[in-house]
Amino acid sequence: MNDHEFLRVYDFVDRLRRPFLGVADVEDEAAWRIIHYLMRSELEGYPVTISKLALVSNLPHGTAIRRIQGMIDGGLIERRAASETAKRFTLHPTARLSNLAINYAAETKALIAEIVGGRNNEEHEADYYFGAPQRGSPIIPPINLLTSRVTKGVELQFLLNDDNYFAAMRNMWSDFRNNLASAKSFKLVHQNDLYREGLANGARAVSAYDMIAIDMPWLGEFASKGLVLPIGEVIRDSGINPMDFHPSIWSTTTWQRVEYGVPIYCTIEVLACRSDLFDSEGLALPRTFDDVISAGRAFHNPAAERYGIAWNAAHRPLASSFMFFLGCCGQSVLSIRRTPTGYSTENLDAQHMRPQIDSEAGLLALDYMHRMLEIAQPDALDAHWDDSCAVFLRGQSAMGYVWTMRAAQFEAEVRSAVKRRVAYVPQPSGPGGTNTSPIGGFLLCIPSNIDPKRLPLAAEALAWMASREAMKEHVKNGFPVAPRFSVSADPEAIGSSQLVRFVGSLANRNLLRNWQRPPVPFYTGMERIIGEEVHDALSGHKSDRAALKDAQDRIERLVDRAG
């Protein structure tokens, strides 16, 4: 090491440690250990006692107690009683200490990004992401994208759903080492706003985005209105191999036999079961509607805040539930073509888009939903997907219908009460049906009104985001997406998640289905009608037969208006 390098390293260390004086009055190892341990425990939800904090400091006990007491007197640490009657107390960072610690982390992040990542020191720290250390082979970003940003200042613009997966994607792009984009290039919005903004963007002369995400069932509407580009040629030139995707998953990219996007992630709705509770009662995991109700009644104990099932029965998720349960009874919501394995959404015409809700299968699905309400949490009729997931996460239910993307929280969430206590099964079958596993998720599409000069970069970005390497990285970070066989079969990916193994087994056994929510041009209107009418039936405002008839009639008129 020469003198120049030696001085540069020491200057970096000095610059790195100096801001910590703004957090604690002294900048020594004991102050660092105390504050680091206290902040980490607060974020992870672990109680901290004064004796534990003194031990962590590595100071002599008396010195440590005096140091901690000084920080309490100085307004950095506060005592809180463990309960109203307890004499013991726990220690927590004050709001002042939390703000100082966060500011220090931001300064440190900016300094490392400036020195290691080559980021401009005038760029706001919120515009890039401090990623985890890269282990093994790093993901190599496309050189054209990197060159365009560095030399020409060109940043691709994305419209995405506001969820954990797309937040992780934004972080990967804005990682200070990749230097591909800034966080402000990613617009993450709620699913309803994503739909509205996607339609509004299509009305613009030139798209505001180079890439948009659309919910899989929206494809028929976006494609038939000409809002997204056919990308078959892009796929062939990019090296993306459709054969590496499960056929049911790849078929979600196709409307009337034309490919319009790439499945960026898939999520499967399954039944999560508390394996510890089922084992303690000697019960087999449910395979049918009746099994679910029987097990739910055995575990349901509202007085102890324990429910048979966590269920989301607000209007929008309720529409999906009804279509899935109808599929479990062997029937599709529309008169789409039957196949040996279910139904096909390919090459639909007017006669294959008629509703068939007012049926015996519809009554069976509603009967099951009524019985589930009896064993669900009290506010089920107002619960959305995240609400019911939270009930299960807290350990308050024995079962729960859940998308695998959200189910990842059960093992990854610090405060999960069900960690390592969950088993997953395909959706239980209804009378005359099978154990179906409905596919959901998002497609990445290129807007049809994209600036032609930006299309090559958008195509390269799409290929990289859907690559095996990028998807594997997301799986390793806790997102059980695995729409590609090569990812779900990868030993490292399989070892990282029980859900990856489960979804991979469903794919290998050909148990994934995409026809329960057919991607017809009037899907969103049909979804709204079903949600309203089924909710009226479950809340007692209409009889089941009246609700099904009204839904059937309203969707018939919707189909006629759609031509």
Side-chain angles (χ1 to χ4, degrees):
M1 181 183 291
N2 59 33
D3 292 352
H4 177 72
E5 187 180 6
F6 176 87
L7 290 174
R8 190 170 62 210
V9 171
Y10 260 59
D11 180 60
F12 170 71
V13 173
D14 181 60
R15 290 176 66 189
L16 187 64
R17 298 202 64 158
R18 197 182 309 147
F20 187 63
L21 284 168
V23 181
D25 292 334
V26 291
E27 196 273 346
D28 62 11
E29 291 301 322
W32 170 255
R33 289 193 186 98
I34 289 170
I35 291 174
H36 175 261
Y37 185 80
L38 196 64
M39 289 297 299
R40 187 181 190 95
S41 299
E42 186 73 10
L43 292 173
E44 296 182 346
Y46 297 122
V48 177
T49 63
I50 192 167
S51 58
K52 179 63 177 176
L53 203 54
L55 183 65
V56 166
S57 74
N58 272 6
L59 294 171
H61 184 74
T63 305
I65 296 296
R66 287 192 294 274
R67 172 71 69 86
I68 294 167
Q69 185 60 51
M71 297 175 80
I72 293 172
D73 296 340
L76 297 178
I77 300 176
E78 64 178 340
R79 290 187 180 96
R80 294 180 195 167
S83 68
E84 292 183 4
T85 58
K87 295 181 180 179
R88 295 178 65 253
F89 59 86
T90 55
L91 300 181
H92 303 265
T94 61
R96 177 177 165 231
L97 176 58
S98 294
N99 289 333
L100 290 171
I102 290 169
N103 289 339
Y104 171 66
E107 286 186 54
T108 303
K109 169 185 170 182
L111 177 59
I112 294 175
E114 175 192 343
I115 293 174
V116 180
R119 305 294 296 218
N120 188 330
N121 60 9
E122 296 178 356
E123 193 171 358
H124 193 276
E125 59 90 13
D127 288 338
Y128 52 88
Y129 178 69
F130 194 82
Q134 293 175 337
R135 296 178 176 87
S137 301
I139 298 180
I140 307 300
I143 190 63
N144 288 339
L145 295 174
L146 184 58
T147 303
S148 295
R149 181 173 195 267
V150 173
T151 64
K152 302 176 183 177
V154 176
E155 285 192 35
L156 295 181
Q157 301 297 311
F158 299 86
L159 175 65
L160 306 173
N161 189 53
D162 189 4
D163 63 31
N164 289 342
Y165 183 85
F166 286 122
M169 177 182 289
R170 175 194 59 198
N171 293 343
M172 185 170 70
W173 275 70
S174 60
D175 188 298
F176 74 99
R177 293 158 298 189
N178 289 339
N179 207 18
L180 274 172
S182 59
K184 60 189 176 186
S185 294
F186 293 79
K187 185 174 183 178
L188 272 60
V189 297
H190 185 272
Q191 200 165 0
N192 292 337
D193 297 324
L194 179 68
Y195 172 74
R196 287 189 287 266
E197 176 62 14
L199 294 180
N201 185 64
R204 298 181 179 120
V206 179
S207 173
Y209 311 101
D210 302 290
M211 202 93 63
I212 64 173
I214 65 172
D215 198 358
M216 287 174 175
W218 301 346
L219 180 60
E221 179 175 1
F222 276 72
S224 62
K225 290 180 176 178
L227 305 181
V228 290
L229 278 180
I231 60 168
E233 186 174 337
V234 170
I235 291 169
R236 284 187 289 274
D237 293 343
S238 70
I240 295 175
N241 180 12
M243 299 298 289
D244 194 22
F245 293 77
H246 187 279
S248 292
I249 294 173
W250 187 259
S251 68
T252 63
T253 71
T254 304
W255 172 248
Q256 304 298 51
R257 300 190 177 182
V258 177
E259 295 157 324
Y260 287 94
V262 172
I264 194 59
Y265 82 65
C266 70
T267 181
I268 314 298
E269 191 174 79
V270 298
L271 185 69
C273 302
R274 284 283 300 278
S275 55
D276 57 330
L277 297 181
F278 276 83
D279 289 345
S280 66
E281 294 295 324
L283 294 176
L285 297 176
R287 294 183 56 84
T288 67
F289 285 180
D290 288 342
D291 290 346
V292 172
I293 301 303
S294 176
R297 287 173 178 161
F299 294 119
H300 194 57
N301 185 6
E305 293 191 327
R306 170 68 58 78
Y307 310 107
I309 195 164
W311 189 35
N312 35 252
H315 286 75
R316 189 155 178 266
L318 191 61
S320 292
S321 291
F322 178 81
M323 288 186 265
F324 296 158
F325 297 153
L326 198 65
C328 291
C329 294
Q331 182 179 302
S332 170
V333 68
L334 299 178
S335 57
I336 57 179
R337 292 183 181 86
R338 255 197 180 284
T339 68
T341 58
Y343 294 88
S344 171
T345 59
E346 290 187 1
N347 205 28
L348 298 180
D349 53 28
Q351 75 179 81
H352 294 106
M353 295 190 198
R354 311 312 299 190
Q356 47 185 23
I357 293 173
D358 188 9
S359 63
E360 185 61 29
L363 288 172
L364 291 170
L366 270 181
D367 173 69
Y368 177 50
M369 296 166 100
H370 278 293
R371 290 189 289 158
M372 271 215 300
L373 272 184
E374 297 172 2
I375 57 171
Q377 77 275 19
D379 61 349
L381 284 173
D382 298 314
H384 291 268
W385 289 286
D386 287 333
D387 301 323
S388 61
C389 191
V391 172
F392 192 89
L393 191 74
R394 292 193 298 266
Q396 292 180 298
S397 68
M399 296 175 289
Y401 279 99
V402 62
W403 289 102
T404 52
M405 179 59 72
R406 286 182 169 85
Q409 300 175 64
F410 300 158
E411 299 301 326
E413 176 64 42
V414 170
R415 303 187 187 190
S416 171
V418 296
K419 197 170 292 187
R420 295 180 293 278
R421 301 176 183 175
V422 186
Y424 301 95
V425 295
Q427 289 220 355
S429 63
T434 59
N435 300 105
T436 63
S437 297
I439 297 171
F442 286 84
L443 307 174
L444 269 186
C445 303
I446 298 175
S448 55
N449 54 344
I450 187 175
D451 182 342
K453 296 177 183 177
R454 299 172 71 91
L455 179 57
L457 280 181
E460 187 170 3
L462 179 64
W464 184 60
M465 294 161 86
S467 68
R468 177 183 181 274
E469 292 73 21
M471 288 187 175
K472 180 181 173 183
E473 190 69 17
H474 284 304
V475 170
K476 288 195 296 182
N477 286 320
F479 297 102
V481 288
R484 301 180 70 133
F485 282 124
S486 60
V487 176
S488 60
D490 186 282
E492 190 175 7
I494 292 172
S496 67
S497 171
Q498 174 192 179
L499 281 165
V500 172
R501 294 192 296 273
F502 176 69
V503 173
S505 71
L506 292 178
N508 292 334
R509 290 151 56 198
N510 198 30
L511 294 178
L512 303 180
R513 302 286 180 263
N514 74 331
W515 50 263
Q516 292 95 330
R517 298 187 300 170
V520 290
F522 51 85
Y523 174 82
T524 54
M526 177 176 71
E527 179 186 58
R528 176 178 50 81
I529 291 169
I530 293 173
E532 291 171 355
E533 296 296 342
V534 172
H535 199 275
D536 280 350
L538 295 182
S539 57
H541 294 133
K542 288 184 181 179
S543 69
D544 289 359
R545 288 192 178 277
L548 293 177
K549 184 179 186 307
D550 289 347
Q552 177 87 12
D553 293 343
R554 290 174 66 188
I555 296 173
E556 286 277 9
R557 293 193 293 271
L558 180 69
V559 175
D560 291 339
R561 286 198 302 272

